[in-house]
Amino acid sequence: MIYEDIEGLVHAALQKGLITSADQVYARNQLMHLLKLKAFPEQLDRVSEASIPDLLDKLVDNAIANNVIADVFDEKEMLAANMMNCFVARPSVIQGEFACMYDQSPEAATDYFYELSKNSNYIQMNRIRKNIHFKADTVYGEMDITINLSKPEKDPEQIKRERELKQTVAYPKCMLCVENEGYAGRTGYPARANHRIIPVDLMGEQWFFQYSPYVYYNEHCIVLAAQHRDMKIDKTAFQRLMQFTSKFPHYFIGSNADLPIVGGSILSHDHYQGGRYEFAMTKAEAAFSFTLNPFPEVSAAVLHWPLSVIRLRSVDADQVADAADYILQTWRHYSDEQANVAAFTGDTPHNTITPIARMRHGKHELDLVLRNNRTSEEHPLGIFHPHADVQHIKKENIGLIEVMGLAVLPARLKDELQVIENFLLGGELQDVADYHQEWAQQLKEAYGTLKKDEEAKTIMKKELAKKFSRVLEDAGVFKEKCAFERFIAVLNKEA
């Protein structure tokens, strides 16, 4: 069977355009080497027909059965990535093809690269399909809810190996560094042999474009600095974002904030995230417009959104960048005791911005989400962070993706929510996790005992989206219009 699976993988790679017929013998021999096979039959009765991910799984299982690798998570990942690397062209070839496609259109270039990233199994679509994803209406529009099941659990042997590992290897410095391209992986560090990146010039500096291996939305991409350096939100960052959307006008791009609590999971490497997807925040209407006196060419509005967002628009990217920088510098030093906003504790800064850029109707559009990471005795995880009463649903940082209206929720909720549904259908409260019981009782009081599974599932989706809206409301710095107006008054007064 292994020979049939090898030939099946070669044929699948040929069908997906990863290789040509001239590459078949070479690719087969490379796979044989990785699987420690000395020869290949002259003739096969059949060729396995399956998807690339399924064929990889079969070949990995065979390698375990024949003691080629141990049945350990990282060894399986490294073998699968190395097998796919037999079919993926070198970076120079892919970059050249991307450039040729870009000459046709930016869409053609990203379509080519996205398909390559999926076909090479760098984006592991089989795993991503395990995620639970749905949309639900809220007062702020249709939110996206994802329960993240795509990240595989590490087996006990893998965990043991990582604990026993004595050597500290600082290469690559982090999972966003350019040195990840083609890196075979090691215990405790992911395999990236089949990973490729595309150089992009932004503001005269080399950056790189890639896709996220765990895409949370369509064409979820990462744009990373060539240099390993900390995240930084400044005027140049705004300019880079808009230059990227000028080069790829069918994509949005945004940045996590550059401070702990309100920033993303990786603050040690300057990077942005983008893609081809319309979030609820993108569709948000203006709650009210206002004039930004120093920048009459730029339209400004506060969005009807749970977080505190200013949307800037103009045909002139430089004007938008200047206006955004002016707002950022004012916000960095802005305090409002009535709104519980303090810019500093001693010399420690608290105010920053999560920016998102896009092209719309021929204009540059830049959303500035005001963030503050101060903590208090009442809210030790953050005053403008999910509060204790919603942490049973979402306790993690509210990063760029959540800011835009896509909840990335922990895998534990898959089973926990099912138990709550059972409770609504007449089950026992004691079966519900302790931290969900108050919420479950509130739902029972609101809806009574339900009779149909589908009704329980519909209610659960609706109520989960409401909880996520509350999570985002907690992260909003200005809870009332008058608080926003006080900040706007300072913007125009200081001008």
Side-chain angles (χ1 to χ4, degrees):
M1 285 293 293
I2 189 170
Y3 302 109
E4 296 168 359
D5 293 339
I6 288 173
E7 198 63 13
L9 187 57
V10 171
H11 282 205
L14 186 63
Q15 289 172 352
K16 293 293 185 180
L18 292 172
I19 58 171
T20 69
S21 57
D23 302 315
Q24 289 184 86
V25 172
Y26 168 84
R28 183 191 303 124
N29 284 335
Q30 293 298 303
L31 290 175
M32 288 170 57
H33 172 70
L34 290 171
L35 296 168
K36 300 192 184 313
L37 299 172
K38 302 296 184 186
F40 200 84
E42 286 188 19
Q43 199 166 2
L44 293 173
D45 293 333
R46 60 181 290 277
V47 174
S48 298
E49 292 186 7
S51 68
I52 286 174
D54 289 343
L55 289 165
L56 285 173
D57 287 343
K58 291 173 72 176
L59 289 170
V60 166
D61 288 344
N62 189 285
I64 293 167
N66 288 285
N67 298 314
V68 175
I69 61 168
D71 188 4
V72 178
F73 175 77
D74 275 341
E75 289 199 27
K76 292 186 285 187
E77 293 286 284
M78 286 188 282
L79 177 59
N82 274 302
M83 284 195 287
M84 284 314 301
N85 193 39
C86 298
F87 304 103
V88 183
R90 294 196 177 197
S92 58
V93 175
I94 290 169
Q95 290 171 19
E97 185 66 19
F98 186 91
C100 288
M101 291 289 187
Y102 188 88
D103 287 341
Q104 295 177 29
S105 74
E107 292 97 329
T110 55
D111 286 351
Y112 155 74
F113 192 44
Y114 191 53
E115 287 305 306
L116 173 73
S117 298
K118 289 188 293 184
N119 291 337
S120 67
N121 206 46
Y122 173 70
I123 299 175
Q124 299 196 31
M125 295 304 296
N126 272 15
R127 290 180 183 171
I128 290 160
R129 289 188 191 100
K130 295 177 182 177
N131 289 342
I132 296 171
H133 182 86
F134 61 88
K135 292 176 179 286
D137 287 327
T138 72
V139 295
Y140 301 105
E142 195 176 53
M143 297 286 190
D144 289 285
I145 309 295
T146 295
I147 297 177
N148 183 15
L149 304 173
S150 59
K151 191 172 183 180
E153 293 184 14
K154 294 182 179 180
D155 52 74
E157 178 61 27
Q158 170 69 29
I159 295 168
K160 178 185 173 186
R161 287 187 178 201
E162 290 185 22
R163 284 176 179 166
E164 291 175 349
L165 192 64
K166 303 296 183 185
Q167 185 182 6
T168 301
V169 181
Y171 181 91
K173 291 179 181 176
C174 78
M175 285 187 281
L176 291 179
C177 284
V178 294
E179 289 81 8
N180 285 281
E181 186 175 37
Y183 186 66
R186 62 177 186 269
T187 299
Y189 197 92
R192 293 289 184 260
N194 54 336
H195 174 44
R196 301 294 185 267
I197 56 180
I198 302 293
V200 180
D201 181 275
L202 295 177
M203 299 301 294
E205 185 178 56
Q206 190 170 57
W207 285 60
F208 290 90
F209 171 87
Q210 66 178 62
Y211 287 104
S212 169
Y214 295 106
V215 291
Y216 289 122
Y217 51 85
N218 187 49
E219 298 180 47
H220 178 183
C221 69
I222 299 172
V223 179
L224 53 100
Q227 180 186 359
H228 180 77
R229 65 186 186 214
D230 290 346
M231 292 283 295
K232 187 177 182 181
I233 301 298
D234 57 11
K235 181 179 177 179
T236 307
F238 301 143
Q239 291 171 318
R240 285 194 204 102
L241 295 177
M242 287 186 286
Q243 190 171 81
F244 182 87
T245 55
S246 294
K247 291 175 183 284
F248 301 96
H250 58 301
Y251 273 17
F252 81 89
I253 189 169
S255 175
N256 273 308
D258 55 357
L259 292 178
I261 297 176
V262 296
S265 58
I266 300 178
L267 296 181
S268 61
H269 196 114
D270 210 0
H271 71 285
Y272 311 131
Q273 294 181 78
R276 196 172 190 173
Y277 191 72
E278 190 172 58
F279 292 88
M281 194 180 87
T282 311
K283 295 180 274 192
E285 299 291 333
F288 63 93
S289 299
F290 66 93
T291 300
L292 196 58
N293 290 342
F295 305 96
E297 302 297 318
V298 178
S299 68
V302 170
L303 297 189
H304 173 62
W305 191 245
L307 288 103
S308 306
V309 187
I310 294 173
R311 176 167 289 171
L312 303 177
R313 280 186 182 144
S314 177
V315 294
D316 189 330
D318 291 337
Q319 283 278 326
V320 174
D322 288 342
D325 184 55
Y326 174 70
I327 292 170
L328 173 64
Q329 298 311 321
T330 306
W331 174 241
R332 291 266 195 212
H333 297 87
Y334 181 78
S335 295
D336 182 345
E337 190 174 341
Q338 288 178 260
N340 214 9
V341 171
F344 293 91
T345 299
D347 294 329
T348 303
H350 295 304
N351 289 350
T352 187
I353 277 175
T354 299
I356 302 107
R358 64 186 73 84
M359 292 293 299
R360 183 143 54 176
H361 307 308
K363 290 186 176 182
H364 293 277
E365 189 170 274
L366 187 65
D367 291 344
L368 305 176
V369 188
L370 306 181
R371 313 298 303 274
N372 177 287
N373 77 342
R374 193 162 67 93
T375 61
S376 67
E377 191 172 325
E378 182 184 2
H379 302 293
L381 297 182
I383 296 170
F384 303 105
H385 180 82
H387 291 175
D389 63 323
V390 294
Q391 288 177 9
H392 65 108
I393 296 298
K394 178 72 173 176
K395 189 175 183 178
E396 299 79 10
N397 292 1
I398 302 304
L400 173 68
I401 295 172
E402 286 89 1
V403 161
M404 294 185 291
L406 192 161
V408 181
L409 302 177
R412 62 177 171 82
L413 288 176
K414 178 189 175 185
D415 295 331
E416 293 173 358
L417 295 178
Q418 180 62 60
V419 175
I420 297 174
E421 288 176 24
N422 293 340
F423 170 65
L424 295 177
L425 290 162
E428 297 295 327
L429 180 64
Q430 65 189 29
D431 295 334
V432 176
D434 291 347
Y435 43 82
H436 289 312
Q437 285 189 3
E438 183 179 354
W439 184 44
Q441 285 179 311
Q442 290 170 352
L443 296 179
K444 191 73 166 281
E445 290 170 8
Y447 296 101
T449 300
L450 305 176
K451 295 181 179 180
K452 297 180 180 178
D453 287 354
E454 281 307 309
E455 187 181 9
K457 290 185 185 302
T458 299
I459 286 170
M460 185 55 60
K461 289 178 180 180
K462 173 186 170 184
E463 293 295 329
L464 195 60
K466 283 169 65 176
K467 273 283 183 181
F468 179 56
S469 295
R470 255 293 320 281
V471 163
L472 297 186
E473 287 172 350
D474 286 347
V477 295
F478 296 137
K479 310 300 186 191
E480 299 172 345
K481 181 180 178 182
C482 58
F484 229 132
E485 288 174 334
R486 288 195 296 272
F487 178 60
I488 293 167
V490 170
L491 287 173
N492 284 327
K493 183 180 178 182
E494 290 189 355

